[in-house]
Amino acid sequence: MTDFQPARLSGIARPANVGAMLDEICEHFVEHSDVVYKDGIATLKSEEWTIDIATVNDHLAIEISTDGDEALAATRTMFAEHLFYFAGDEPFSLEWSKPAPKVRPPGFVEATVVAAHDVTPRMRRVTLSLADVSPFIGGNMHVRLLVPPKGRAPVWPNLQENGRIGWPEGEDELVVRVYTIRSVDAEAKQVFIDILQHPAERVATPGADFARDTVPGEQVALMGPGGGGLPEAENIFFAGDESALPAIARMVEEAPAGVTMKAIIEVENAAEEQLLQGNGLLEVEWLHRSSYAPDGRPHLVDRVKAALETVGNDTFVWFAAEKADVRTIKRHLADRKRDRKQQYIAWYWEKGQ
Ligand SMILES: Cc1cc2nc3c(=O)[nH]c(=O)nc-3n(C[C@H](O)[C@H](O)[C@H](O)COP(=O)(O)OP(=O)(O)OC[C@H]3O[C@@H](n4cnc5c(N)ncnc54)[C@H](O)[C@@H]3O)c2cc1C
């Protein structure tokens, strides 16, 4: 039975610089929640959770409240992962009033590969069978895909006391990559993930290789879903490259009638275009990288900047692509003082990383 009783948890975080970390938390979470920040006290509020953070001498006192224990565990892990990410290489510790139990991370589910095929020459669709696909229908779209080393029995992650995920190491190390659940077949209990076969010179591409080489019966796992879904807006401007294409295609499918959408999508060439279908009104502009001038211009960012000139403030702006391109667009939108609640701007991959 699902427990919808209010649940609370307190924690103490000790970063190297308390003020700097609180600034970073507020700066980051403003795009995911309502943030009220004054005199060293911050409240972050989303539909699923409230997180109060107060500066107390050398530490941050944290209070998480949610509807039920399941959401509390998921929020703790989400927040703990963020805090350690913000701390980077600096000393950092995190303790909770109740340490996290040593169990599988929230949202962890085992899956079996059913099939894999090419949707276009460079986009490969992997079909996974799950015991329960209901968490993946609607709402949040993104998952972490966990692939164990070939020929070894999987060793899956457990939670650490501080709420972070404890990943298997050494010979049991997993390939972990973030993807989008492109669609769900509730009846067949299957989910579909579209994985780009991106050309990378002289470097390994474990996520892409998994999609290329997988065979039916291979055991993998998913963690999620998270990271948001279709924006609640009547007008949406989508833009991105192939890594964003599965998300854009899914949101177009999920958008109800009456929603007006414009999408600018950069792919290698015409063979990589996909049919985007839904009940809303959609205009798609495909950009072909293979047709760019030798200096690579004008490219996605140039085109998106130009298009944004005619995008009104009532339009939700959704952009995902390579990190540097995303930073450029983020700065561009900030210069125009657009409402950050009316945008989702995220980098999906990083050149050379
Ligand atoms: C929220 C989110 C959702 C995502 N959804 C999808 C999705 O549905 N489908 C999908 O294919 N990807 C998606 N991505 C992007 C995907 O996670 C990355 O492309 C990932 O790096 C691929 O892992 P890899 O092992 O193939 O390559 P890596 O080992 O990560 O990288 C190897 C090399 O390839 C380069 N590289 C990585 N990705 C790309 C790319 N897209 N184009 C060109 N070069 C690249 C890197 O710069 C590096 O040099 C998503 C990312 C995020 C954050």
Side-chain angles (χ1 to χ4, degrees), residues 122-123 142-143 175-182 193-201 203-209 226-227 241-247 289 322 344 346-353:
R122 289 163 53 117
M123 192 65 92
H142 306 298
V143 290
V175 168
V176 181
R177 294 290 185 274
V178 180
Y179 291 106
T180 304
I181 298 292
R182 168 68 183 80
I193 301 180
D194 286 1
I195 299 183
L196 180 70
Q197 300 298 290
H198 53 89
E201 278 174 36
V203 289
T205 58
D209 296 352
D241 60 13
E242 297 97 330
S243 65
L245 174 53
R289 210 176 285 115
E322 200 277 328
Y344 168 97
W347 59 272
Y348 277 14
W349 62 282
E350 187 177 357
K351 234 172 225 165
Q353 291 293 310

Side-chain angles (χ1 to χ4, degrees), residues 18 31 35 59 67 71 73 84 114 126 146 161 194 217 247 252 267 316 336:
V18 174
E31 278 177 30
V35 175
H59 68 265
D67 283 343
F84 277 92
V114 174
V126 178
L146 281 47
E161 285 194 354
D194 286 1
V252 167
V267 294
F316 191 100
R336 272 155 189 71

